[in-house]
Amino acid sequence: MDLGIDGGWNLSTIPRGQERVQHVVPPKGTALSWTSSYGYVAFAAPSHGFPIDGAAGEALNEKGLSCGALALVPSRMTPPSDSKPNLHMSYLCTWAMEQFENVHQVRAALNQGVQLWGHGNSGKDYTHWVLRDALGLSLVVETPADGKLHLHDDPNDGTLGFGIMTNEPDFEYHLANGLHLAWKRGLVRQAVPVPGSWYPEDRWMRVLMVK
């Protein structure tokens, strides 16, 4: 975790069989509840309210599925649903860790089973997530400024993804940036500068260049 707050972090182990009720109630529709099927280890900072109610911010479950929440500016979450059970954004990692074995299952549930929702205020919705499983597959979950849910497979194959996550801009920007670097390296004059700033896109490119 690289949030700009110090102290209050803890590493917890959470056993399977927990009854989960979200403490954030959507303004319409019903809130999703569940019983956990898998145990996991997780980072949280409840004294800072991250995430709310001690939900997991970074976690790895017993099946090898991991989840991480990172900042994405700007973001605007999708609204709650009248027809599907609603999952508040703060519980995404907790829900995924407790219910699923791999990213395919998470993708299917987000596509059809539940509605991921937030505040509808971009100032509170600045988050995107990356999930990785024991098979080496990755899923990036974003709701950028358009307010729509975007699910990106990141196979780390150098074509559809590079297996790298930082912050803004969104996944599609970083993917295009990585492909552009590959194009440059294929030219006769392939020397390219190493980005030197601490902005997220430069950190992303530095990781790619040393992989």
Side-chain angles (χ1 to χ4, degrees):
M1 301 297 295
D2 61 352
L3 297 179
I5 52 178
D6 188 23
W9 294 97
N10 62 49
L11 177 63
S12 302
T13 57
I14 297 91
R16 64 180 79 93
Q18 303 296 305
E19 299 291 335
R20 292 295 182 199
V21 177
Q22 299 178 76
H23 293 177
V24 181
V25 179
K28 65 178 182 179
T30 59
L32 180 69
S33 60
W34 65 92
T35 301
S36 64
S37 298
Y38 307 108
Y40 57 104
V41 294
F43 280 103
S47 64
H48 295 293
F50 179 82
I52 57 174
D53 304 322
E58 302 271 347
L60 172 69
N61 77 8
E62 62 185 88
K63 295 296 183 178
L65 179 66
S66 67
C67 181
L70 300 92
L72 177 64
V73 181
S75 297
R76 184 163 59 90
M77 291 298 302
T78 47
S81 169
D82 287 320
S83 59
K84 295 191 294 185
N86 292 286
L87 176 69
H88 190 267
M89 56 181 286
S90 298
Y91 294 95
L92 176 59
C93 283
T94 298
W95 168 74
M97 293 300 93
E98 295 184 345
Q99 294 293 91
F100 303 108
E101 298 183 13
N102 56 60
V103 298
H104 288 310
Q105 294 173 343
V106 178
R107 171 185 264 279
L110 289 173
N111 266 330
Q112 300 178 353
V114 303
Q115 177 78 0
L116 185 65
W117 73 283
H119 306 279
N121 178 336
S122 61
K124 294 183 178 180
D125 289 347
Y126 289 166
T127 310
H128 62 168
W129 299 263
V130 58
L131 297 106
R132 309 189 194 279
D133 64 25
L135 298 176
L137 302 176
S138 300
L139 176 68
V140 176
V141 180
E142 295 181 336
T143 58
D146 64 5
K148 298 178 181 179
L149 180 64
H150 295 249
L151 302 176
H152 301 284
D153 294 314
D154 184 359
N156 191 19
D157 61 358
T159 301
L160 299 176
F162 293 92
I164 304 168
M165 279 287 286
T166 55
N167 309 108
E168 61 276 351
D170 57 24
F171 176 85
E172 292 175 351
Y173 175 97
H174 290 301
L175 176 59
N177 217 13
L179 293 174
H180 189 57
L181 174 64
W183 173 79
K184 287 180 177 179
R185 285 175 162 173
L187 300 177
V188 174
R189 297 180 179 88
Q190 57 178 292
V192 293
V194 177
S197 84
W198 290 105
Y199 281 98
E201 70 270 26
D202 282 358
R203 290 187 280 114
W204 194 100
M205 289 296 288
R206 281 200 299 276
V207 173
L208 176 60
M209 295 177 79
V210 300
K211 281 184 68 176

